[in-house]
Amino acid sequence: TNAGNGKKIYKSDFFRDGTSTEVMRVVDGDTIVANVNNEEFYIRLIGVDTPETVHPSQKVQEHGKEASDYLKNLLTGKSVTLNFDDTKMDSYNRLLAYVYLDDKFVNADIIRNGYGYAYTKFPFKYQVNFLNYETDAKEMGLGLWEKPDTTSTPVVAVETRFIASNDEQTNTTPTHTPKNDEIVSENEDPYPRQDTVSDELPEITVN
C-alpha cells in the first residue's frame, strides 16, 4: 500500500524465510536484482563484501570483475531461495538476504572461494562461520588472497552445503536490529551503498 507521501508500505511479514524468486540480473559480486512477491528489488547479500565494479565514484577494484562474473554465471536467470536476518532492508531500499541456490549457500561460497570478504561491521547470524571461511580462503590463497604460483596443483572451488544452527554460533554480540520493528534503517546503514540503485525503486517504511 501507499502511505500518501509517495512511500511504499509493507507489513513486516511481507518478506518471509523460504521466499522463492528468480534472479533477473546480477549487479556486482554481492548484489542481485530479483522479483519478490511480484515486485522488483535490489538484494544485498548479507555478510559479504566484494571489490567494487559499478560504484559511481570509484574505479573498478582488483578482483571485482572476477567476483561479479562468478555471481553472474552462478545466479543469472536461476531460481533461488531467500532467508532473512533481523534487519530485512537497508536505507537504500535493498533487501538484505541469505541466498540459496538449491542447497548451495551462495553468501558463504563467495567468501570460501575468495571472491569477497566477511562483512562484519554489523553482527549477523553466521558471522563466526564467515570469518572462519575467510581465514580458510586466506590460507589456501584463493581469489583475493591469491599467492605467487609456486605449484602446478590446481585449486578446486569449494561449496558450502552445511549451515550451522544458531546453537553452534559462538558469537555473542547482539544482532543489529531496527527500532520499533521497522525494516528500514533510520540511522547508520549496515550495508553502505555499493551499486547504482534505480531511483524508480519504491521508498519503503513500515506500517
PDB file of all heavy atoms in Angstrom, residues 10 14-15 19 21 30-32 34-37 39-46 82-84 87-90 92-98 183 191 204:
ATOM      1  N   TYR A  10       5.067  -1.840   3.644  1.00  0.00           N
ATOM      2  CA  TYR A  10       4.925  -3.290   3.658  1.00  0.00           C
ATOM      3  C   TYR A  10       4.706  -3.753   5.089  1.00  0.00           C
ATOM      4  O   TYR A  10       5.245  -3.184   6.026  1.00  0.00           O
ATOM      5  CB  TYR A  10       6.187  -3.972   3.120  1.00  0.00           C
ATOM      6  CG  TYR A  10       6.452  -3.716   1.668  1.00  0.00           C
ATOM      7  CD1 TYR A  10       7.347  -2.736   1.286  1.00  0.00           C
ATOM      8  CD2 TYR A  10       5.803  -4.452   0.688  1.00  0.00           C
ATOM      9  CE1 TYR A  10       7.600  -2.486  -0.052  1.00  0.00           C
ATOM     10  CE2 TYR A  10       6.048  -4.218  -0.645  1.00  0.00           C
ATOM     11  CZ  TYR A  10       6.951  -3.233  -1.010  1.00  0.00           C
ATOM     12  OH  TYR A  10       7.195  -2.988  -2.328  1.00  0.00           O
ATOM     13  N   PHE A  14       5.940  -9.401   5.169  1.00  0.00           N
ATOM     14  CA  PHE A  14       5.887  -9.474   3.705  1.00  0.00           C
ATOM     15  C   PHE A  14       7.056 -10.297   3.169  1.00  0.00           C
ATOM     16  O   PHE A  14       6.944 -10.985   2.162  1.00  0.00           O
ATOM     17  CB  PHE A  14       5.938  -8.057   3.121  1.00  0.00           C
ATOM     18  CG  PHE A  14       5.780  -7.983   1.624  1.00  0.00           C
ATOM     19  CD1 PHE A  14       4.525  -8.043   1.040  1.00  0.00           C
ATOM     20  CD2 PHE A  14       6.892  -7.840   0.796  1.00  0.00           C
ATOM     21  CE1 PHE A  14       4.374  -7.962  -0.343  1.00  0.00           C
ATOM     22  CE2 PHE A  14       6.744  -7.763  -0.583  1.00  0.00           C
ATOM     23  CZ  PHE A  14       5.487  -7.820  -1.151  1.00  0.00           C
ATOM     24  N   PHE A  15       8.192 -10.227   3.861  1.00  0.00           N
ATOM     25  CA  PHE A  15       9.387 -10.964   3.455  1.00  0.00           C
ATOM     26  C   PHE A  15       9.601 -12.107   4.434  1.00  0.00           C
ATOM     27  O   PHE A  15       9.974 -11.903   5.582  1.00  0.00           O
ATOM     28  CB  PHE A  15      10.604 -10.041   3.427  1.00  0.00           C
ATOM     29  CG  PHE A  15      10.381  -8.791   2.622  1.00  0.00           C
ATOM     30  CD1 PHE A  15      10.237  -7.568   3.246  1.00  0.00           C
ATOM     31  CD2 PHE A  15      10.302  -8.850   1.238  1.00  0.00           C
ATOM     32  CE1 PHE A  15      10.030  -6.416   2.507  1.00  0.00           C
ATOM     33  CE2 PHE A  15      10.078  -7.703   0.497  1.00  0.00           C
ATOM     34  CZ  PHE A  15       9.944  -6.477   1.133  1.00  0.00           C
ATOM     35  N   THR A  19      11.363 -17.603   0.908  1.00  0.00           N
ATOM     36  CA  THR A  19      10.790 -16.942  -0.267  1.00  0.00           C
ATOM     37  C   THR A  19      11.549 -17.352  -1.528  1.00  0.00           C
ATOM     38  O   THR A  19      12.773 -17.254  -1.581  1.00  0.00           O
ATOM     39  CB  THR A  19      10.860 -15.405  -0.114  1.00  0.00           C
ATOM     40  OG1 THR A  19      10.053 -15.010   0.995  1.00  0.00           O
ATOM     41  CG2 THR A  19      10.356 -14.704  -1.372  1.00  0.00           C
ATOM     42  N   THR A  21      12.398 -16.878  -5.592  1.00  0.00           N
ATOM     43  CA  THR A  21      12.405 -15.816  -6.583  1.00  0.00           C
ATOM     44  C   THR A  21      13.359 -16.169  -7.711  1.00  0.00           C
ATOM     45  O   THR A  21      14.238 -17.023  -7.557  1.00  0.00           O
ATOM     46  CB  THR A  21      12.837 -14.478  -5.945  1.00  0.00           C
ATOM     47  OG1 THR A  21      12.788 -13.428  -6.930  1.00  0.00           O
ATOM     48  CG2 THR A  21      14.261 -14.557  -5.418  1.00  0.00           C
ATOM     49  N   ASP A  30      28.137  -8.785  -4.930  1.00  0.00           N
ATOM     50  CA  ASP A  30      27.358  -9.002  -3.712  1.00  0.00           C
ATOM     51  C   ASP A  30      25.937  -8.446  -3.792  1.00  0.00           C
ATOM     52  O   ASP A  30      25.260  -8.340  -2.770  1.00  0.00           O
ATOM     53  CB  ASP A  30      28.077  -8.404  -2.490  1.00  0.00           C
ATOM     54  CG  ASP A  30      28.477  -6.943  -2.693  1.00  0.00           C
ATOM     55  OD1 ASP A  30      27.695  -6.180  -3.293  1.00  0.00           O
ATOM     56  OD2 ASP A  30      29.580  -6.559  -2.252  1.00  0.00           O
ATOM     57  N   THR A  31      25.477  -8.098  -5.000  1.00  0.00           N
ATOM     58  CA  THR A  31      24.136  -7.530  -5.154  1.00  0.00           C
ATOM     59  C   THR A  31      23.461  -8.097  -6.397  1.00  0.00           C
ATOM     60  O   THR A  31      24.076  -8.168  -7.461  1.00  0.00           O
ATOM     61  CB  THR A  31      24.193  -5.994  -5.282  1.00  0.00           C
ATOM     62  OG1 THR A  31      24.939  -5.457  -4.183  1.00  0.00           O
ATOM     63  CG2 THR A  31      22.794  -5.385  -5.280  1.00  0.00           C
ATOM     64  N   ILE A  32      22.196  -8.491  -6.243  1.00  0.00           N
ATOM     65  CA  ILE A  32      21.421  -9.004  -7.363  1.00  0.00           C
ATOM     66  C   ILE A  32      20.094  -8.252  -7.460  1.00  0.00           C
ATOM     67  O   ILE A  32      19.730  -7.512  -6.543  1.00  0.00           O
ATOM     68  CB  ILE A  32      21.144 -10.519  -7.213  1.00  0.00           C
ATOM     69  CG1 ILE A  32      20.294 -10.793  -5.956  1.00  0.00           C
ATOM     70  CG2 ILE A  32      22.445 -11.305  -7.171  1.00  0.00           C
ATOM     71  CD1 ILE A  32      19.907 -12.260  -5.769  1.00  0.00           C
ATOM     72  N   ALA A  34      16.004  -9.093  -8.233  1.00  0.00           N
ATOM     73  CA  ALA A  34      15.072 -10.207  -8.361  1.00  0.00           C
ATOM     74  C   ALA A  34      13.651  -9.718  -8.136  1.00  0.00           C
ATOM     75  O   ALA A  34      13.409  -8.662  -7.543  1.00  0.00           O
ATOM     76  CB  ALA A  34      15.410 -11.309  -7.364  1.00  0.00           C
ATOM     77  N   ASN A  35      12.711 -10.512  -8.635  1.00  0.00           N
ATOM     78  CA  ASN A  35      11.293 -10.228  -8.449  1.00  0.00           C
ATOM     79  C   ASN A  35      10.813 -10.971  -7.208  1.00  0.00           C
ATOM     80  O   ASN A  35      10.810 -12.192  -7.170  1.00  0.00           O
ATOM     81  CB  ASN A  35      10.509 -10.679  -9.691  1.00  0.00           C
ATOM     82  CG  ASN A  35       9.050 -10.282  -9.628  1.00  0.00           C
ATOM     83  OD1 ASN A  35       8.331 -10.658  -8.715  1.00  0.00           O
ATOM     84  ND2 ASN A  35       8.610  -9.524 -10.618  1.00  0.00           N
ATOM     85  N   VAL A  36      10.425 -10.202  -6.194  1.00  0.00           N
ATOM     86  CA  VAL A  36       9.964 -10.794  -4.937  1.00  0.00           C
ATOM     87  C   VAL A  36       8.508 -10.405  -4.720  1.00  0.00           C
ATOM     88  O   VAL A  36       8.186  -9.218  -4.663  1.00  0.00           O
ATOM     89  CB  VAL A  36      10.818 -10.297  -3.751  1.00  0.00           C
ATOM     90  CG1 VAL A  36      10.322 -10.918  -2.450  1.00  0.00           C
ATOM     91  CG2 VAL A  36      12.288 -10.628  -3.979  1.00  0.00           C
ATOM     92  N   ASN A  37       7.664 -11.389  -4.645  1.00  0.00           N
ATOM     93  CA  ASN A  37       6.229 -11.127  -4.459  1.00  0.00           C
ATOM     94  C   ASN A  37       5.709 -10.138  -5.499  1.00  0.00           C
ATOM     95  O   ASN A  37       4.982  -9.184  -5.183  1.00  0.00           O
ATOM     96  CB  ASN A  37       5.948 -10.631  -3.046  1.00  0.00           C
ATOM     97  CG  ASN A  37       6.242 -11.679  -1.993  1.00  0.00           C
ATOM     98  OD1 ASN A  37       6.094 -12.871  -2.225  1.00  0.00           O
ATOM     99  ND2 ASN A  37       6.683 -11.232  -0.825  1.00  0.00           N
ATOM    100  N   GLU A  39       7.260  -7.859  -7.149  1.00  0.00           N
ATOM    101  CA  GLU A  39       7.883  -6.543  -7.167  1.00  0.00           C
ATOM    102  C   GLU A  39       9.393  -6.691  -7.336  1.00  0.00           C
ATOM    103  O   GLU A  39       9.994  -7.632  -6.815  1.00  0.00           O
ATOM    104  CB  GLU A  39       7.563  -5.767  -5.893  1.00  0.00           C
ATOM    105  CG  GLU A  39       6.094  -5.440  -5.739  1.00  0.00           C
ATOM    106  CD  GLU A  39       5.843  -4.451  -4.614  1.00  0.00           C
ATOM    107  OE1 GLU A  39       6.667  -3.538  -4.436  1.00  0.00           O
ATOM    108  OE2 GLU A  39       4.823  -4.605  -3.926  1.00  0.00           O
ATOM    109  N   GLU A  40       9.998  -5.746  -8.044  1.00  0.00           N
ATOM    110  CA  GLU A  40      11.429  -5.807  -8.302  1.00  0.00           C
ATOM    111  C   GLU A  40      12.206  -5.187  -7.147  1.00  0.00           C
ATOM    112  O   GLU A  40      11.910  -4.075  -6.707  1.00  0.00           O
ATOM    113  CB  GLU A  40      11.759  -5.066  -9.598  1.00  0.00           C
ATOM    114  CG  GLU A  40      13.234  -5.082  -9.973  1.00  0.00           C
ATOM    115  CD  GLU A  40      13.489  -4.357 -11.271  1.00  0.00           C
ATOM    116  OE1 GLU A  40      12.759  -4.626 -12.252  1.00  0.00           O
ATOM    117  OE2 GLU A  40      14.401  -3.514 -11.308  1.00  0.00           O
ATOM    118  N   PHE A  41      13.201  -5.933  -6.659  1.00  0.00           N
ATOM    119  CA  PHE A  41      14.035  -5.455  -5.569  1.00  0.00           C
ATOM    120  C   PHE A  41      15.509  -5.680  -5.873  1.00  0.00           C
ATOM    121  O   PHE A  41      15.887  -6.680  -6.485  1.00  0.00           O
ATOM    122  CB  PHE A  41      13.710  -6.196  -4.266  1.00  0.00           C
ATOM    123  CG  PHE A  41      12.389  -5.849  -3.657  1.00  0.00           C
ATOM    124  CD1 PHE A  41      11.263  -6.613  -3.942  1.00  0.00           C
ATOM    125  CD2 PHE A  41      12.274  -4.771  -2.791  1.00  0.00           C
ATOM    126  CE1 PHE A  41      10.039  -6.306  -3.370  1.00  0.00           C
ATOM    127  CE2 PHE A  41      11.048  -4.459  -2.220  1.00  0.00           C
ATOM    128  CZ  PHE A  41       9.929  -5.215  -2.509  1.00  0.00           C
ATOM    129  N   TYR A  42      16.339  -4.737  -5.418  1.00  0.00           N
ATOM    130  CA  TYR A  42      17.762  -4.989  -5.324  1.00  0.00           C
ATOM    131  C   TYR A  42      17.974  -5.776  -4.035  1.00  0.00           C
ATOM    132  O   TYR A  42      17.380  -5.452  -2.993  1.00  0.00           O
ATOM    133  CB  TYR A  42      18.548  -3.680  -5.263  1.00  0.00           C
ATOM    134  CG  TYR A  42      18.737  -3.022  -6.608  1.00  0.00           C
ATOM    135  CD1 TYR A  42      17.692  -2.339  -7.219  1.00  0.00           C
ATOM    136  CD2 TYR A  42      19.960  -3.090  -7.270  1.00  0.00           C
ATOM    137  CE1 TYR A  42      17.858  -1.741  -8.449  1.00  0.00           C
ATOM    138  CE2 TYR A  42      20.144  -2.490  -8.508  1.00  0.00           C
ATOM    139  CZ  TYR A  42      19.086  -1.811  -9.093  1.00  0.00           C
ATOM    140  OH  TYR A  42      19.245  -1.218 -10.319  1.00  0.00           O
ATOM    141  N   ILE A  43      18.806  -6.799  -4.090  1.00  0.00           N
ATOM    142  CA  ILE A  43      19.039  -7.656  -2.933  1.00  0.00           C
ATOM    143  C   ILE A  43      20.535  -7.674  -2.628  1.00  0.00           C
ATOM    144  O   ILE A  43      21.348  -8.069  -3.460  1.00  0.00           O
ATOM    145  CB  ILE A  43      18.544  -9.085  -3.185  1.00  0.00           C
ATOM    146  CG1 ILE A  43      17.029  -9.067  -3.480  1.00  0.00           C
ATOM    147  CG2 ILE A  43      18.858  -9.985  -1.997  1.00  0.00           C
ATOM    148  CD1 ILE A  43      16.473 -10.402  -3.902  1.00  0.00           C
ATOM    149  N   ARG A  44      20.877  -7.222  -1.445  1.00  0.00           N
ATOM    150  CA  ARG A  44      22.268  -7.193  -0.985  1.00  0.00           C
ATOM    151  C   ARG A  44      22.515  -8.439  -0.147  1.00  0.00           C
ATOM    152  O   ARG A  44      21.780  -8.711   0.808  1.00  0.00           O
ATOM    153  CB  ARG A  44      22.500  -5.927  -0.159  1.00  0.00           C
ATOM    154  CG  ARG A  44      23.922  -5.763   0.382  1.00  0.00           C
ATOM    155  CD  ARG A  44      24.895  -5.443  -0.739  1.00  0.00           C
ATOM    156  NE  ARG A  44      26.107  -4.838  -0.203  1.00  0.00           N
ATOM    157  CZ  ARG A  44      27.081  -5.477   0.400  1.00  0.00           C
ATOM    158  NH1 ARG A  44      27.000  -6.785   0.577  1.00  0.00           N
ATOM    159  NH2 ARG A  44      28.149  -4.833   0.831  1.00  0.00           N
ATOM    160  N   LEU A  45      23.523  -9.222  -0.511  1.00  0.00           N
ATOM    161  CA  LEU A  45      23.817 -10.450   0.204  1.00  0.00           C
ATOM    162  C   LEU A  45      24.405 -10.128   1.577  1.00  0.00           C
ATOM    163  O   LEU A  45      25.402  -9.401   1.677  1.00  0.00           O
ATOM    164  CB  LEU A  45      24.778 -11.330  -0.596  1.00  0.00           C
ATOM    165  CG  LEU A  45      24.137 -12.222  -1.679  1.00  0.00           C
ATOM    166  CD1 LEU A  45      23.507 -11.386  -2.783  1.00  0.00           C
ATOM    167  CD2 LEU A  45      25.165 -13.178  -2.263  1.00  0.00           C
ATOM    168  N   ILE A  46      23.802 -10.673   2.617  1.00  0.00           N
ATOM    169  CA  ILE A  46      24.224 -10.399   3.985  1.00  0.00           C
ATOM    170  C   ILE A  46      25.611 -10.979   4.262  1.00  0.00           C
ATOM    171  O   ILE A  46      25.926 -12.102   3.871  1.00  0.00           O
ATOM    172  CB  ILE A  46      23.228 -10.995   4.989  1.00  0.00           C
ATOM    173  CG1 ILE A  46      21.850 -10.331   4.845  1.00  0.00           C
ATOM    174  CG2 ILE A  46      23.728 -10.853   6.423  1.00  0.00           C
ATOM    175  CD1 ILE A  46      20.774 -10.973   5.704  1.00  0.00           C
ATOM    176  N   LEU A  82      15.350 -17.194  -0.620  1.00  0.00           N
ATOM    177  CA  LEU A  82      15.845 -16.128   0.251  1.00  0.00           C
ATOM    178  C   LEU A  82      15.466 -16.401   1.702  1.00  0.00           C
ATOM    179  O   LEU A  82      14.324 -16.746   2.001  1.00  0.00           O
ATOM    180  CB  LEU A  82      15.252 -14.781  -0.163  1.00  0.00           C
ATOM    181  CG  LEU A  82      15.415 -14.348  -1.622  1.00  0.00           C
ATOM    182  CD1 LEU A  82      14.739 -12.999  -1.839  1.00  0.00           C
ATOM    183  CD2 LEU A  82      16.885 -14.283  -2.009  1.00  0.00           C
ATOM    184  N   ASN A  83      16.447 -16.240   2.588  1.00  0.00           N
ATOM    185  CA  ASN A  83      16.193 -16.197   4.023  1.00  0.00           C
ATOM    186  C   ASN A  83      16.665 -14.843   4.535  1.00  0.00           C
ATOM    187  O   ASN A  83      17.504 -14.189   3.894  1.00  0.00           O
ATOM    188  CB  ASN A  83      16.915 -17.323   4.753  1.00  0.00           C
ATOM    189  CG  ASN A  83      16.215 -18.663   4.582  1.00  0.00           C
ATOM    190  OD1 ASN A  83      15.091 -18.746   4.086  1.00  0.00           O
ATOM    191  ND2 ASN A  83      16.884 -19.731   4.985  1.00  0.00           N
ATOM    192  N   PHE A  84      16.158 -14.436   5.680  1.00  0.00           N
ATOM    193  CA  PHE A  84      16.444 -13.095   6.172  1.00  0.00           C
ATOM    194  C   PHE A  84      16.984 -13.124   7.592  1.00  0.00           C
ATOM    195  O   PHE A  84      16.839 -14.112   8.319  1.00  0.00           O
ATOM    196  CB  PHE A  84      15.168 -12.241   6.120  1.00  0.00           C
ATOM    197  CG  PHE A  84      14.572 -12.161   4.744  1.00  0.00           C
ATOM    198  CD1 PHE A  84      13.548 -13.020   4.364  1.00  0.00           C
ATOM    199  CD2 PHE A  84      15.042 -11.244   3.816  1.00  0.00           C
ATOM    200  CE1 PHE A  84      12.991 -12.958   3.095  1.00  0.00           C
ATOM    201  CE2 PHE A  84      14.499 -11.185   2.539  1.00  0.00           C
ATOM    202  CZ  PHE A  84      13.480 -12.035   2.178  1.00  0.00           C
ATOM    203  N   THR A  87      17.366  -7.530  10.444  1.00  0.00           N
ATOM    204  CA  THR A  87      17.221  -6.342   9.606  1.00  0.00           C
ATOM    205  C   THR A  87      16.977  -6.798   8.176  1.00  0.00           C
ATOM    206  O   THR A  87      17.852  -7.416   7.571  1.00  0.00           O
ATOM    207  CB  THR A  87      18.485  -5.457   9.669  1.00  0.00           C
ATOM    208  OG1 THR A  87      18.702  -5.068  11.020  1.00  0.00           O
ATOM    209  CG2 THR A  87      18.321  -4.221   8.799  1.00  0.00           C
ATOM    210  N   LYS A  88      15.805  -6.507   7.650  1.00  0.00           N
ATOM    211  CA  LYS A  88      15.434  -7.030   6.337  1.00  0.00           C
ATOM    212  C   LYS A  88      15.729  -6.077   5.191  1.00  0.00           C
ATOM    213  O   LYS A  88      15.809  -6.508   4.040  1.00  0.00           O
ATOM    214  CB  LYS A  88      13.950  -7.403   6.331  1.00  0.00           C
ATOM    215  CG  LYS A  88      13.603  -8.575   7.255  1.00  0.00           C
ATOM    216  CD  LYS A  88      12.143  -8.926   7.169  1.00  0.00           C
ATOM    217  CE  LYS A  88      11.822 -10.175   7.991  1.00  0.00           C
ATOM    218  NZ  LYS A  88      12.080  -9.992   9.428  1.00  0.00           N
ATOM    219  N   MET A  89      15.853  -4.777   5.475  1.00  0.00           N
ATOM    220  CA  MET A  89      16.127  -3.818   4.405  1.00  0.00           C
ATOM    221  C   MET A  89      17.086  -2.749   4.897  1.00  0.00           C
ATOM    222  O   MET A  89      17.182  -2.485   6.099  1.00  0.00           O
ATOM    223  CB  MET A  89      14.832  -3.166   3.912  1.00  0.00           C
ATOM    224  CG  MET A  89      13.824  -4.149   3.370  1.00  0.00           C
ATOM    225  SD  MET A  89      12.554  -3.369   2.344  1.00  0.00           S
ATOM    226  CE  MET A  89      13.518  -3.072   0.860  1.00  0.00           C
ATOM    227  N   ASP A  90      17.812  -2.148   3.930  1.00  0.00           N
ATOM    228  CA  ASP A  90      18.690  -1.038   4.301  1.00  0.00           C
ATOM    229  C   ASP A  90      18.057   0.282   3.869  1.00  0.00           C
ATOM    230  O   ASP A  90      16.951   0.318   3.324  1.00  0.00           O
ATOM    231  CB  ASP A  90      20.096  -1.229   3.723  1.00  0.00           C
ATOM    232  CG  ASP A  90      20.144  -1.175   2.196  1.00  0.00           C
ATOM    233  OD1 ASP A  90      19.149  -0.737   1.564  1.00  0.00           O
ATOM    234  OD2 ASP A  90      21.171  -1.556   1.630  1.00  0.00           O
ATOM    235  N   TYR A  92      18.690   2.161   1.514  1.00  0.00           N
ATOM    236  CA  TYR A  92      18.605   2.342   0.060  1.00  0.00           C
ATOM    237  C   TYR A  92      17.533   1.442  -0.550  1.00  0.00           C
ATOM    238  O   TYR A  92      17.527   1.198  -1.759  1.00  0.00           O
ATOM    239  CB  TYR A  92      19.968   2.069  -0.593  1.00  0.00           C
ATOM    240  CG  TYR A  92      21.042   3.010  -0.111  1.00  0.00           C
ATOM    241  CD1 TYR A  92      22.055   2.563   0.727  1.00  0.00           C
ATOM    242  CD2 TYR A  92      21.032   4.352  -0.482  1.00  0.00           C
ATOM    243  CE1 TYR A  92      23.039   3.428   1.188  1.00  0.00           C
ATOM    244  CE2 TYR A  92      22.010   5.220  -0.020  1.00  0.00           C
ATOM    245  CZ  TYR A  92      23.002   4.755   0.804  1.00  0.00           C
ATOM    246  OH  TYR A  92      23.969   5.626   1.265  1.00  0.00           O
ATOM    247  N   ASN A  93      16.656   0.920   0.294  1.00  0.00           N
ATOM    248  CA  ASN A  93      15.535   0.089  -0.157  1.00  0.00           C
ATOM    249  C   ASN A  93      15.962  -1.261  -0.717  1.00  0.00           C
ATOM    250  O   ASN A  93      15.215  -1.879  -1.476  1.00  0.00           O
ATOM    251  CB  ASN A  93      14.683   0.818  -1.209  1.00  0.00           C
ATOM    252  CG  ASN A  93      14.123   2.122  -0.697  1.00  0.00           C
ATOM    253  OD1 ASN A  93      13.851   2.269   0.485  1.00  0.00           O
ATOM    254  ND2 ASN A  93      13.959   3.079  -1.591  1.00  0.00           N
ATOM    255  N   ARG A  94      17.138  -1.706  -0.346  1.00  0.00           N
ATOM    256  CA  ARG A  94      17.585  -3.018  -0.794  1.00  0.00           C
ATOM    257  C   ARG A  94      17.229  -4.064   0.261  1.00  0.00           C
ATOM    258  O   ARG A  94      17.405  -3.844   1.459  1.00  0.00           O
ATOM    259  CB  ARG A  94      19.094  -3.024  -1.030  1.00  0.00           C
ATOM    260  CG  ARG A  94      19.552  -2.110  -2.130  1.00  0.00           C
ATOM    261  CD  ARG A  94      21.062  -2.102  -2.273  1.00  0.00           C
ATOM    262  NE  ARG A  94      21.718  -1.712  -1.038  1.00  0.00           N
ATOM    263  CZ  ARG A  94      23.038  -1.532  -0.923  1.00  0.00           C
ATOM    264  NH1 ARG A  94      23.822  -1.725  -1.966  1.00  0.00           N
ATOM    265  NH2 ARG A  94      23.568  -1.157   0.218  1.00  0.00           N
ATOM    266  N   LEU A  95      16.741  -5.204  -0.204  1.00  0.00           N
ATOM    267  CA  LEU A  95      16.549  -6.332   0.702  1.00  0.00           C
ATOM    268  C   LEU A  95      17.916  -6.849   1.143  1.00  0.00           C
ATOM    269  O   LEU A  95      18.866  -6.867   0.352  1.00  0.00           O
ATOM    270  CB  LEU A  95      15.794  -7.458  -0.004  1.00  0.00           C
ATOM    271  CG  LEU A  95      14.280  -7.349  -0.120  1.00  0.00           C
ATOM    272  CD1 LEU A  95      13.744  -8.548  -0.901  1.00  0.00           C
ATOM    273  CD2 LEU A  95      13.632  -7.267   1.245  1.00  0.00           C
ATOM    274  N   LEU A  96      18.013  -7.276   2.386  1.00  0.00           N
ATOM    275  CA  LEU A  96      19.225  -7.914   2.899  1.00  0.00           C
ATOM    276  C   LEU A  96      18.891  -9.377   3.099  1.00  0.00           C
ATOM    277  O   LEU A  96      17.985  -9.713   3.862  1.00  0.00           O
ATOM    278  CB  LEU A  96      19.644  -7.267   4.220  1.00  0.00           C
ATOM    279  CG  LEU A  96      19.857  -5.756   4.181  1.00  0.00           C
ATOM    280  CD1 LEU A  96      20.162  -5.221   5.576  1.00  0.00           C
ATOM    281  CD2 LEU A  96      20.960  -5.386   3.206  1.00  0.00           C
ATOM    282  N   ALA A  97      19.605 -10.263   2.404  1.00  0.00           N
ATOM    283  CA  ALA A  97      19.161 -11.660   2.405  1.00  0.00           C
ATOM    284  C   ALA A  97      20.320 -12.646   2.332  1.00  0.00           C
ATOM    285  O   ALA A  97      21.414 -12.334   1.862  1.00  0.00           O
ATOM    286  CB  ALA A  97      18.220 -11.908   1.221  1.00  0.00           C
ATOM    287  N   TYR A  98      20.029 -13.845   2.828  1.00  0.00           N
ATOM    288  CA  TYR A  98      20.870 -15.011   2.584  1.00  0.00           C
ATOM    289  C   TYR A  98      20.280 -15.692   1.353  1.00  0.00           C
ATOM    290  O   TYR A  98      19.078 -15.956   1.295  1.00  0.00           O
ATOM    291  CB  TYR A  98      20.841 -15.967   3.774  1.00  0.00           C
ATOM    292  CG  TYR A  98      21.333 -15.355   5.068  1.00  0.00           C
ATOM    293  CD1 TYR A  98      20.455 -15.097   6.106  1.00  0.00           C
ATOM    294  CD2 TYR A  98      22.673 -15.040   5.236  1.00  0.00           C
ATOM    295  CE1 TYR A  98      20.900 -14.541   7.301  1.00  0.00           C
ATOM    296  CE2 TYR A  98      23.137 -14.479   6.421  1.00  0.00           C
ATOM    297  CZ  TYR A  98      22.246 -14.227   7.452  1.00  0.00           C
ATOM    298  OH  TYR A  98      22.686 -13.671   8.632  1.00  0.00           O
ATOM    299  N   ILE A 183      11.648  -2.085   9.183  1.00  0.00           N
ATOM    300  CA  ILE A 183      12.521  -2.851   8.304  1.00  0.00           C
ATOM    301  C   ILE A 183      13.334  -1.933   7.433  1.00  0.00           C
ATOM    302  O   ILE A 183      13.925  -2.343   6.455  1.00  0.00           O
ATOM    303  CB  ILE A 183      11.719  -3.852   7.441  1.00  0.00           C
ATOM    304  CG1 ILE A 183      10.674  -3.127   6.595  1.00  0.00           C
ATOM    305  CG2 ILE A 183      11.071  -4.902   8.299  1.00  0.00           C
ATOM    306  CD1 ILE A 183       9.967  -4.037   5.628  1.00  0.00           C
ATOM    307  N   TYR A 191      24.765  -1.828   5.413  1.00  0.00           N
ATOM    308  CA  TYR A 191      25.401  -2.187   4.163  1.00  0.00           C
ATOM    309  C   TYR A 191      25.534  -0.939   3.303  1.00  0.00           C
ATOM    310  O   TYR A 191      24.629  -0.606   2.542  1.00  0.00           O
ATOM    311  CB  TYR A 191      24.602  -3.267   3.426  1.00  0.00           C
ATOM    312  CG  TYR A 191      24.721  -4.587   4.116  1.00  0.00           C
ATOM    313  CD1 TYR A 191      23.924  -4.883   5.213  1.00  0.00           C
ATOM    314  CD2 TYR A 191      25.671  -5.510   3.725  1.00  0.00           C
ATOM    315  CE1 TYR A 191      24.055  -6.077   5.880  1.00  0.00           C
ATOM    316  CE2 TYR A 191      25.799  -6.706   4.391  1.00  0.00           C
ATOM    317  CZ  TYR A 191      24.992  -6.995   5.455  1.00  0.00           C
ATOM    318  OH  TYR A 191      25.136  -8.178   6.124  1.00  0.00           O
ATOM    319  N   ILE A 204      10.637   2.724   1.178  1.00  0.00           N
ATOM    320  CA  ILE A 204       9.870   1.792   1.982  1.00  0.00           C
ATOM    321  C   ILE A 204       9.889   2.173   3.459  1.00  0.00           C
ATOM    322  O   ILE A 204      10.907   2.544   4.006  1.00  0.00           O
ATOM    323  CB  ILE A 204      10.428   0.363   1.824  1.00  0.00           C
ATOM    324  CG1 ILE A 204      10.316  -0.053   0.345  1.00  0.00           C
ATOM    325  CG2 ILE A 204       9.688  -0.614   2.712  1.00  0.00           C
ATOM    326  CD1 ILE A 204      11.016  -1.321   0.059  1.00  0.00           C
TER     327      ILE A 204
END
